[in-house]
Structures are given as structure tokens and as C-alpha cells.
Amino acid sequence: MSQHGDPSRIISDPFRFAAEARTLEGVTAVAEMLRLSDVLASSGGQVSWRIEGSMVEGVEAREPRLHLMIEGELQLCCQRCLGGMAWPVRVDSVLQPVRSGQPIPEEELEDDEIDAIELDGELDVIALVEDEILLALPIAPRHQVCDAPRPDGGASKESPFAALASLRGSHSAK
């Protein structure tokens, strides 16, 4: 499951990580998150992240939780003007790890505060951070106020139909 191979970014057993209430944190360059590249105007910058494990009382037994916090800033591509725009990243997710093949607990399906994550083996934290950022992205990022893109030189391009209109006007005068 690991794309990055850095052992400090891999949680080998997320269930034990939660049971031992461990914490892992770091800073990752935006350029390392390749799946984000399609929506970015620039791959510069970095995001900081922190993941904390814990156990909570569940319906039948204690259940593991992973609390993921991400902060940073991305340079997204504005869908209106096609220029870069700063977008602050603020993600605060509570995840419930579930072993592959096990059913997702019914109470989790009803609770919007917790998301189940199916895991089998190790957890690549950077892939998880990238997943959570992708889920948090706006559908069509746009500046509050911006202009549509202009052709080279910045001048407004005349409509090709304007020339036809002028021909029609001169033709009807004859």
C-alpha cells in the first residue's frame, strides 16, 4: 500500500497504533502528492499533518479511532480566470479503522462525525492525507471576483459575428 516508502510515514498496525494512543506528525511537500497535480496551479508549498490514535467505548467493545488533522495552503487553479488562487487546507477527520471484510458498524453509518476506513495491514499516512485533501477540495474553485481569461495582449477579442453584422449593415444600404 505504501507509495512513498518512508518508514516514518507508515503505520504498520493502525489498530495497535490506536490501542497504544500513539501520535505521528509531519510536514509533506505538496509536490509529493501527485494525485493533486490536476487541480493545482503550482505544486509549491507544504502541508502539516498529525494523526492521533485512541480507543473509545463502542456499543459492544472498545473501538479504535484515528484523528487526522491537516493544515496548509494549496495554489488551486481558478475555474473562471484559470489563474492561481490560494486555498487554505483545514481538515479535521475522525476515522474508524475496520479490518477488510468486516462489516462497517451500523452506528458509524449513521454518524456523520466519523468515517470508516477499511484497512488490511499497514497505513500509508501520506496517501491518507492526500485522500482527505482530495475529498475536501471545492468542486469548482473560483476567486470571489475575477475576470474571464483574455487573449494575448490583454485586449478584448472582437466577435467574428461583428464583422458579419457590419457587412449586413453596408449591404442593406445599397
Side-chain angles (χ1 to χ4, degrees), residues 1 33 35 117 126-136:
M1 180 174 170
M33 294 182 266
R35 291 180 290 150
I117 179 173
I126 302 308
L128 178 63
V129 166
E130 189 172 13
D131 288 343
E132 291 294 315
I133 291 172
L134 284 166
L135 289 170

Side-chain angles (χ1 to χ4, degrees), residues 23-137:
T23 299
L24 185 63
E25 58 187 348
V27 175
T28 302
V30 172
E32 285 185 44
M33 294 182 266
L34 301 178
R35 291 180 290 150
L36 283 175
S37 63
D38 288 344
V39 296
L40 298 177
S42 165
S43 61
Q46 57 191 20
V47 294
S48 60
W49 51 267
R50 178 181 176 93
I51 188 166
E52 300 171 347
S54 65
M55 298 295 285
V56 299
E57 288 301 322
V59 174
E60 297 178 19
R62 292 178 53 83
E63 299 173 341
R65 292 289 189 274
L66 300 173
H67 184 188
L68 177 65
M69 295 152 285
I70 306 166
E71 287 192 11
E73 186 175 275
L74 299 178
Q75 290 296 316
L76 300 182
C77 187
C78 173
Q79 298 298 301
R80 187 178 299 140
C81 72
L82 304 178
M85 63 175 271
W87 183 73
V89 176
R90 304 265 183 285
V91 174
D92 192 348
S93 298
V94 178
L95 306 166
Q96 178 178 355
V98 177
R99 294 192 191 279
S100 292
Q102 284 187 335
I104 296 172
E106 191 66 35
E107 65 274 2
E108 191 284 322
L109 293 172
E110 297 171 5
D111 188 354
D112 290 337
E113 302 289 318
I114 302 168
D115 293 319
I117 179 173
E118 192 174 88
L119 297 172
D120 194 22
E122 66 186 24
L123 172 65
D124 183 339
V125 178
I126 302 308
L128 178 63
V129 166
E130 189 172 13
D131 288 343
E132 291 294 315
I133 291 172
L134 284 166
L135 289 170
L137 288 174

